[in-house]
Amino acid sequence: MCVELGGKAFHAKVVRGEVLERGVLDYAKMTGLSKPLRDALTERAPLLAGTEVARSTSRDGTTKLLIDFGAVEGRSGAVETVHIPPRELGGPKGATLCVSSQVGCAVRCPFCASGKLGLARNLEPHEIVEQYLRGRALGNLSRSVVMGIGEPLLNFPNVSAALDVVHDDLGLGARKVTVSTVGFPDRLRQIAPRKPRFQLAISLHTPFDEQRDELVPAMKGVPIDDVLSAADFWFETTGREVTYEYVLLAGVTDTPEHARRLAERLRRRRCTVNLIPFNPVSDSEFARPSSDAVDRMFRALTERGIVATVRWSRGVGGGAACGQLRIRANAR
Ligand code: SAH
């Protein structure tokens, strides 16, 4: 493109370096290019495909961007990207970026806002990378989670192509990126031998098959045993432990019986359970458990030898916590 517009081939390298290494997102600031070339590039080869249509920052500094990648067939192409600054001294130096993998979601978990409108389309690799470029402009990143809108394994070729750029060119090393999925067993078995560089998190949410059919509708009929054995295969093949995410819905997934059965299912597996107290979403039939109930669940698991953590989501006030991401432009 640079050559086509009257520049030299090495100018493309200059642009790449400016964008990927220095985070410059505007040709006008690339002083290594002539003014006519900068102008021509601005016009003919825009650096960013999307438009920031909204930004909100909650009290704890978590910033949510609503980025519109353009409507297709009348459906909005807006997704959310969340920049979560480091919490405490001694923790990671940079922020965590939560990125979306699809516009909408086909999984339709009843406790999550993202799937309420169904799936509009897959994000393209450059649209996923762009979320990183925009996120990095808000402050250095040290980690990233593909836990925004969408189910990454249902758009895996694009997610994977984008993560290659993120690992190779944006410097987020292996293990610094976590991909969260409902855990389609056949897909996990296909992907594991390719030794992906990311960490895997599986949204399990319950140890009971009938209940999982309701909480994760796209996995209806897939026994939890199949998900766990695919996760075991992942661990054996990649050498990386799997994290199980578990949303705590008051009275629904936080009972002693749930803890007992979950511990039984995970016994002798090297893994971590990440308990996520439900973040309220509007018109939801679910409620967040009390902190005592969260503690009880945590203790019930750890007493049985299960490694557990609790994720008190940040950004709850700004509507940017897990499950609160929603395609507002479409929802109105
Ligand atoms: N589709 C992927 C990734 C996106 S969601 C997946 O399901 O893993 C990231 C995590 O947030 C998932 O574990 C999801 O179940 C959880 N989540 C969704 N809505 C939530 C809510 N309202 N409160 C708490 N966690 C929620």
Side-chain angles (χ1 to χ4, degrees):
M1 184 53 95
C2 284
V3 176
E4 221 172 275
L5 298 176
K8 296 270 189 309
F10 79 87
H11 287 134
K13 269 208 184 115
V14 173
V15 172
R16 205 179 151 81
E18 291 278 6
V19 173
L20 297 174
E21 282 153 39
R22 280 177 286 285
V24 177
L25 298 181
D26 182 357
Y27 288 116
K29 298 195 181 118
M30 298 184 188
T31 47
L33 308 177
S34 69
K35 173 89 168 64
L37 183 57
R38 279 184 265 156
D39 290 347
L41 284 168
T42 305
E43 177 133 319
R44 298 273 308 280
L47 274 177
L48 298 172
T51 313
E52 180 182 316
V53 287
R55 175 185 295 214
S56 64
T57 302
S58 57
R59 256 169 291 143
D60 65 8
T62 298
T63 301
K64 181 178 65 181
L65 301 179
L66 184 64
I67 306 168
D68 191 353
F69 287 111
V72 172
E73 288 165 13
R75 299 192 70 178
S76 155
V79 296
E80 293 179 329
T81 307
V82 187
H83 182 272
I84 307 151
R87 191 200 294 257
E88 67 239 338
L89 291 173
K93 286 204 189 66
T96 299
L97 192 73
C98 177
V99 304
S100 296
S101 54
Q102 297 181 304
V103 182
C105 186
V107 178
R108 292 179 180 269
C109 302
F111 52 87
C112 175
S114 299
K116 296 256 187 274
L117 302 163
L119 176 71
R121 69 172 172 93
N122 282 332
L123 286 177
E124 297 296 328
H126 71 269
E127 294 168 331
I128 298 170
V129 172
E130 182 168 325
Q131 295 176 66
Y132 284 91
L133 296 174
R134 290 177 180 273
R136 191 173 61 169
L138 298 173
N140 265 344
L141 306 179
S142 60
R143 290 188 60 230
S144 155
V145 290
V146 184
M147 291 189 188
I149 297 167
E151 166 48 50
L153 290 202
L154 295 180
N155 184 23
F156 192 68
N158 290 357
V159 168
S160 171
L163 291 184
D164 282 343
V165 175
V166 169
H167 291 305
D168 295 336
D169 300 309
L170 297 183
L172 269 189
R175 291 169 195 263
K176 298 293 184 195
V177 177
T178 299
V179 171
S180 173
T181 170
V182 293
F184 300 97
D186 48 342
R187 287 171 198 256
L188 292 177
R189 287 176 190 279
Q190 270 168 14
I191 296 166
R194 295 189 234 152
K195 305 264 161 78
R197 287 176 273 180
F198 56 78
Q199 300 288 117
L200 181 70
I202 297 180
S203 295
L204 195 63
H205 303 323
T206 173
F208 299 112
D209 281 315
E210 322 77 71
Q211 192 175 36
R212 193 162 196 264
D213 283 351
E214 279 165 32
L215 294 180
V216 190
M219 296 291 279
K220 206 175 173 99
V222 179
I224 290 171
D225 272 343
D226 284 1
V227 176
L228 297 180
S229 78
D232 292 344
F233 176 75
W234 184 280
F235 177 48
E236 286 152 21
T237 313
T238 65
R240 308 245 175 114
E241 283 183 28
V242 171
T243 297
Y244 292 101
E245 292 165 279
Y246 190 103
V247 67
L248 290 173
L249 306 169
V252 177
T253 62
D254 65 347
T255 72
E257 195 46 28
H258 281 82
R260 192 192 60 71
R261 183 73 179 116
L262 181 63
E264 196 174 85
R265 285 208 187 255
L266 298 182
R267 200 165 38 217
R268 286 191 289 278
R269 291 188 148 101
R270 274 181 48 191
C271 61
T272 299
V273 174
N274 190 201
L275 299 170
I276 318 172
F278 172 65
N279 296 306
V281 297
S282 51
D283 341 308
S284 176
E285 60 192 287
F286 301 107
R288 167 178 267 212
S290 65
S291 56
D292 279 355
V294 174
D295 276 356
R296 271 198 298 279
M297 189 75 184
F298 175 78
R299 273 187 278 112
L301 292 173
T302 48
E303 277 161 11
R304 292 177 168 89
I306 304 295
V307 179
T309 55
V310 179
R311 187 202 304 163
W312 288 105
S313 298
R314 301 175 63 195
V316 174
C322 288
Q324 296 186 313
L325 299 181
R326 176 197 271 278
I327 319 157
R328 278 173 224 282
N330 227 356
R332 276 189 208 124

